């Protein structure tokens, strides 16, 4: 448990005294200059990716049709840190470091002695944490002469981020968007097009199918391997993606210290493929006093009800096989609004942490997460993404448990994205039309 | 002309050196504690508001059915500053101070020697500068025992802001939304409902009419005067609204100093009723070396083609008469996407500044403003509101003029809001379906 802070940010009694700080901004000169690699520190090793046809461990050459060599090296590295190129820092600096904010109004509404901090990743141009990896991925591809990237997207957060990054490096961007989200969220398509990306619904050859992340990955991989000018880009799951996201947790550590907190008692993130969760939790893995909590949808309960085994990363079996918790690569999750959490598998790193007991996982039905999101909007003011609503649900339950126990507790979570392009989901919830 | 800065933020030659600051965050303890009142400093006095029936100057009692006494006093004050209540600062501090950012990537794309700075008001929960006045208006109404506020909204920015503020003070909120925007922007309605507001299209008694801000004001005023528990709230035009927005320009002054700039050469804002423009420009009025520029739509050219005379604030003649530039209170602007700029009149303060020559005005057709907005999105990364696109159009033209002249120039503008809930307008532009 963190000590009670005497710095700005303290709430004395019931009311927030005037003039107290609730946000901690790092100067942009304090942006981390290295990524944090958790792989050599994991409690048990992760399995190597296997070739989908031969089921033999993959070498760098096997991945070369999909990824640039720099990213393949990062996927396999066991170095403790990886340097962030200056050209990448220059773009990240458009919105990073992101603020650390204390949710004092939510605390007060809940009547909890817990102190709730969140890292606000919604401030990026694309509205989520996703550009943290889209930018270096576009950079390394450009540096190796690639002209075009293909990718999949669920709710559209990742496709938006990659379209944004490609605009900055002069790359073409083709996005295969899960059809359920394509139809629920037309503004996401327009956002990608505003940055110059092109978007089609997936699966491309089954027009009536609601789609899944697994199927959209198949579409994007097939496109990339079929064109010599193209590579494929993945927005979650892989080691190098989680590596890029560790700027979040590194900044949060520095900002918690500014806020006078020694450490969080628990760090919480929602989990689809695991990238925002990894981004905020991995820098805390080595401190056993810090609990780590993954939050997933009850309708796609990979970590809480999946099997730990090798499975394909996509539904058609084009992508490498990964050792992970999985619901089966042919699992098609219901069309919940948190499209970014509709993935049958999970990051091998996150899976290994859950397998070893270092990280816990919990699942919620979507109505409970929208209830939490509305509470957030009416106390803290901002409208979270449905994915982020899952993290907020768990945060509220942790804060209420702290109240029940009469215990102080420092809760840190990742506010992974805003919900301004997900308002049709809020409309459904407010009209009572949302099903679990 | 400001001196060349030697502080962080300098661009040396063609490339931005690594590690240089492009954003200046004021600590939240540095939020201004007073509003800046320009009224006693105006080059020529503004005319008093007149009663719409008697055409005699209005006294405080005449305004009491609409506004709380504290706001009426602020509307009429000639004190140089007005103290901001601590309870208001506590809510503003959720997102203020807002960042000052240098648009180095746009500068580079234009090849201009100008240094372009913007104040990012899009970071508020409602996505624009509007909460700067919504919060104190809700606070003062609550303090005087009002239970319910009515208002109009154009594009939805103002209605969103008031719904947000009412949620924080436990007030009911009823929003009359200009029908053209209500139909173009369904997500704005959902956003207001997420904060607990209720929204109806206006004019309420003419279902086929596209509506106008003037007509929506009539609907909201009629509702408020008909119910003893209700007051009316206006998001622009009036003196107290511009007063509340002066936090923007005050912060910008302090942040420009942090960036090593002595002063801006020109300050630019888009203008509908004048609140975001006033917010950023008024604190610079007394420095004659700083040029002030208003940007309006060519289809609603109030400042550039209107008459300076007393006119009604609304279309039906319920609202007070104001001395201002006006196109006539029965003018119905075309349904351009920058709904927040579709007002027949203008703030009396802004009108007096233009009349006296202290402020200049320019008008653009909407296609030119979307062209500028796309350039912004693909260089700076964020998607501006269509209203903000007007300011950006003028900024680009100023920067290109500086290039033509080979002159350094410090340009400051107000990035008044994001366009994430206006993506249908971008869709129309990108598909070539947008008409001027």
């Amino acid at each position: 448990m963190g000590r009670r802070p005497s710095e700005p940010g303290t709430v004395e009694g019931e009311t927030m005294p005037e003039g107290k700080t609730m946000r901690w901004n790092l100067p942009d000169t304090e942006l981390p200059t290295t990524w944090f690699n958790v792989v050599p520190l994991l409690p048990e090793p992760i399995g190597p990716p296997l070739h989908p046809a031969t089921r033999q461990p993959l070498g760098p050459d096997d991945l070369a049709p999909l990824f640039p060599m720099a990213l393949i090296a990062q996927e396999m590295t066991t170095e403790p840190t990886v340097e962030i190129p200056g050209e990448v820092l220059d773009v990240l600096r458009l919105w990073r470091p992101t603020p650390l904010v204390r949710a004092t109004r939510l605390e007060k509404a809940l009547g909890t002695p817990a102190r709730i901090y969140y890292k606000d990743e919604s401030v990026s141009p694309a509205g989520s944490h996703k550009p943290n990896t889209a930018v270096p991925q576009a950079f390394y591809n450009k540096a190796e002469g690639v002209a075009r990237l293909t990718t999949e997207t669920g709710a559209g957060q990742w496709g938006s981020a990659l379209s944004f990054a490609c605009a900055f490096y002069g790359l073409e961007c083709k996005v295969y968007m899960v059809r359920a989200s394509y139809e629920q969220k037309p503004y996401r398509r327009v956002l990608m097009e505003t940055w110059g990306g092109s978007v089609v619904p997936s699966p491309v050859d089954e027009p009536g199918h609601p789609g899944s992340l697994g199927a959209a990955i198949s579409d994007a991989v097939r496109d990339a391997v079929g064109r010599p000018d193209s590579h494929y880009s993945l927005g979650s799951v892989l080691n190098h993606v989680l590596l890029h996201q560790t700027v979040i947790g590194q900044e949060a550590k520095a900002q918690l210290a500014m806020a006078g907190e020694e450490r969080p008692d628990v760090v919480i993130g929602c989990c689809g493929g695991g990238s925002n969760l990894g981004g905020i939790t991995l820098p805390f893995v080595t401190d056993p006093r810090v609990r780590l909590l993954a939050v997933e949808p009850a309708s796609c309960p990979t970590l809480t009800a999946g099997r730990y085994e090798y499975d394909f990363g996509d539904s058609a079996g084009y992508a490498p096989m990964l050792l992970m918790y999985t619901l089966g690569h042919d699992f098609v999750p219901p069309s919940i609004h948190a499209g970014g959490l509709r993935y049958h598998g999970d990051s091998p790193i996150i899976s290994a942490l859950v397998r070893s007991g270092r990280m816990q996982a919990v699942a919620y039905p979507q109505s409970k997460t929208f209830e939490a999101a509305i509470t957030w909007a009416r106390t803290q003011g901002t409208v979270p993404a449905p994915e982020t609503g899952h993290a907020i649900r768990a945060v509220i339950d942790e804060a209420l448990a702290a109240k029940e126990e009469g215990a102080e507790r420092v809760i840190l979570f990742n506010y992974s994205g805003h919900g301004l392009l997900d308002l049709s989901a809020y409309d459904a919830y407010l009209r009572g039309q949302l099903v679990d």
Side-chain angles (χ1 to χ4, degrees), chain A residues 178-217:
Chain A
V178 173
R179 184 170 280 108
S181 293
Y182 185 90
E183 288 168 0
Q184 278 171 354
K185 301 176 181 180
Y187 277 21
R188 276 280 168 199
R189 167 185 61 74
V190 182
L191 183 59
M192 293 183 246
E193 291 171 351
T194 298
W195 283 314
S198 69
V199 190
V200 290
S202 164
V204 287
D205 46 11
E206 289 179 74
H209 196 290
S212 67
L213 278 172
I217 295 173

Side-chain angles (χ1 to χ4, degrees), chain A residues 98-183:
Chain A
T98 63
L100 180 79
V101 191
R102 183 160 165 200
T104 49
R105 289 175 184 271
L106 177 63
E107 291 170 14
K108 199 168 165 184
L110 299 174
T112 179
R115 299 192 287 283
I116 301 171
Y117 295 88
Y118 65 98
K119 188 70 173 152
D120 189 1
E121 291 295 307
S122 76
V123 301
S124 80
S128 78
H129 65 292
K130 292 291 189 189
N132 296 332
T133 184
V135 170
Q137 289 196 43
F139 167 76
Y140 289 120
N141 274 289
K142 178 73 174 183
E144 295 188 22
V146 171
R148 178 175 173 272
L149 291 179
T150 72
T151 197
E152 79 294 334
T153 198
Q157 298 275 22
W158 168 243
S160 304
L162 195 66
S163 297
F164 156 75
C166 284
F168 275 61
Y169 292 103
L171 295 170
E172 271 187 69
C173 184
K174 176 72 170 276
V175 181
Y176 294 87
M177 186 170 186
V178 173
R179 184 170 280 108
S181 293
Y182 185 90
E183 288 168 0

